[in-house]
Amino acid sequence: MSAGFINHLVEYGWARQAIFLDVDLTLALAAECQGLNDQKLLRIAKTGRATKSDMQLSPQAKIQIQAKIEAQLRSDQISWLSAGQSSACDQYLLRMESLRQQLNRDLFLNLDDYESHFAFYAPGAFYAQHKDRFQDDDRRTISVIIYLNQDWHTEQGGALRLHLSDSESLDIAPEASSMILFLSATMLHEVLPATRDRLSLAGWFRRR
């Protein structure tokens, strides 16, 4: 990771590297994500956590309210990664461990671990504006998105929209092998709908 990349993250709260993973690893991870979808092993992504007032509702009411909220906020499907599930995932997790160590060396962030999942967006799927840190859990520090989409064209949509301020936003196309880092607590962002399947890895470096 170059000094320029790190400096951009510090100064602007986000940074992009056009080529982070090599082509073979990108293709292997994309095939694994697509395979999980074909085998119907992905699950509907959840949003947030229950509040104290939610806990007072009946189980059925809580399920209905949560389902309605999630349908309004996001429509992607996910599968969490774990060490040993595939050679490609292990290679990817090793790369992220090296990145965690570099971020700790350069920025003294005291990042303790990394969690990640495949994210599959079918045509038309989206994720509304949100921030990545939970209100009751401040461990998520740096968000990571790595794209697995070969031959992506801007007109196919699916951009990651970063809301840099109240009046300024930036759209980033989900191009294969590229990586985006941003601050989990402060960067408001969203995923715009696409006209084709959109594959990525989403993850978070967490502190204690």
Side-chain angles (χ1 to χ4, degrees):
M1 194 68 58
S2 68
F5 182 95
I6 297 295
N7 291 338
H8 199 280
L9 177 63
V10 171
E11 183 171 357
Y12 298 104
W14 70 277
R16 177 180 183 270
Q17 182 168 322
I19 303 296
F20 179 71
L21 298 180
D22 61 59
V23 173
D24 288 344
L25 182 54
T26 301
L27 289 173
L29 290 165
E32 185 167 347
C33 183
Q34 189 68 59
L36 290 168
N37 179 65
D38 294 344
Q39 298 172 61
K40 302 187 183 305
L41 296 176
L42 299 170
R43 64 177 182 82
I44 300 298
K46 302 295 183 180
T47 57
R49 300 182 181 211
T51 64
K52 290 183 179 179
S53 59
D54 292 336
M55 299 301 291
Q56 298 173 359
L57 300 172
S58 69
Q60 183 177 4
K62 285 189 287 187
I63 292 172
Q64 292 174 342
I65 291 173
Q66 187 67 21
K68 183 177 181 180
I69 292 173
E70 288 163 358
Q72 293 172 340
L73 289 180
R74 64 190 300 184
S75 52
D76 57 317
Q77 300 178 72
I78 67 169
S79 177
W80 288 94
L81 272 63
S82 59
Q85 74 181 60
S86 72
S87 174
C89 284
D90 283 351
Q91 292 179 58
Y92 162 68
L93 292 173
L94 283 174
R95 289 291 307 275
M96 303 315 292
E97 172 60 17
S98 295
L99 179 54
R100 183 189 70 83
Q101 293 177 16
Q102 181 180 356
L103 290 169
N104 279 341
R105 282 196 310 270
D106 293 347
L107 301 178
F108 307 101
L109 291 175
N110 195 30
L111 302 172
D112 187 57
D113 65 6
Y114 179 70
E115 60 178 1
S116 182
H117 63 62
F118 285 113
F120 181 91
Y121 289 77
F126 67 96
Y127 198 155
Q129 293 183 28
H130 66 285
K131 296 177 183 177
D132 281 351
R133 181 177 286 180
F134 298 120
Q135 292 182 355
D136 62 344
D137 185 342
D138 66 355
R139 287 179 295 172
R140 286 183 175 180
T141 304
I142 302 291
S143 298
V144 184
I145 303 175
I146 296 176
Y147 293 114
L148 308 173
N149 310 291
Q150 298 294 323
D151 303 316
W152 194 274
H153 302 288
T154 303
E155 60 268 21
Q156 294 173 323
L160 170 70
R161 177 167 291 173
L162 301 180
H163 293 271
L164 307 178
S165 68
D166 291 341
S167 60
E168 182 183 8
S169 64
L170 174 69
D171 287 357
I172 301 174
E175 298 170 342
S177 302
S178 63
M179 178 179 70
I180 316 296
L181 263 61
F182 55 85
L183 302 181
S184 303
T186 59
M187 182 60 72
L188 184 66
H189 60 287
E190 61 184 300
V191 176
L192 305 182
T195 59
R196 55 175 275 196
D197 290 347
R198 179 187 186 278
L199 315 179
S200 64
L201 287 157
W204 299 270
F205 290 110
R206 305 187 304 177
R207 64 187 183 189
R208 289 186 186 275

